[in-house]
Amino acid sequence: MNELIRQAQLMQKKMLKAQEETGKKEIETSVGGGMVTVRATCAGELLSVKIDPAVLEDVEMLQDLILSAVNEVIKKGKDTVQAEMSQITGGMKIPGLF
């Protein structure tokens, strides 16, 4: 029983370290053929938004592109974190961790 607890504690330490490191990773996504590019951390912190000046004349399209890019970069970040955690847990789903 003590061995099982020790292994669980070790896995928890590895997961916390991986979450911290993964959260700092930067990801980028572009939409609209590169008209809008968003860069963020896997923790969800937006770092930059680049907008092609050609799209500035169509406000509705620009709004849609920004929304799409932000949603996509957040999804990529979550997917990256989940993939990292799966490597540590061996694919085991642990409720409440990620």
Side-chain angles (χ1 to χ4, degrees):
M1 185 69 152
N2 286 338
E3 180 63 21
L4 184 60
I5 291 171
R6 189 186 69 73
Q7 287 178 356
Q9 289 172 338
L10 184 59
M11 183 185 291
Q12 182 182 21
K13 285 180 185 178
K14 285 182 181 179
M15 289 172 51
L16 289 173
K17 184 178 179 186
Q19 279 180 321
E20 183 180 320
E21 290 173 0
T22 303
K24 293 177 184 176
K25 282 186 181 178
E26 294 181 13
I27 49 176
E28 183 176 283
T29 192
S30 293
V31 297
M35 288 188 206
V36 174
T37 301
V38 175
R39 194 168 54 91
T41 66
C42 287
E45 179 185 357
L46 295 178
L47 300 172
S48 69
V49 176
K50 293 180 184 174
I51 300 171
D52 184 329
V55 75
L56 293 176
E57 295 174 17
D58 188 343
V59 174
E60 285 184 30
M61 182 171 76
L62 177 58
Q63 290 169 340
D64 289 343
L65 289 171
I66 291 171
L67 186 60
S68 178
V70 169
N71 284 331
E72 181 63 26
V73 82
I74 289 170
K75 181 186 179 311
K76 279 185 176 181
K78 286 180 180 179
D79 290 348
T80 301
V81 170
Q82 192 167 24
E84 293 283 332
M85 292 299 112
S86 280
Q87 287 181 344
I88 293 171
T89 64
M92 188 173 50
K93 298 282 185 186
I94 301 174
L97 292 180
F98 52 91

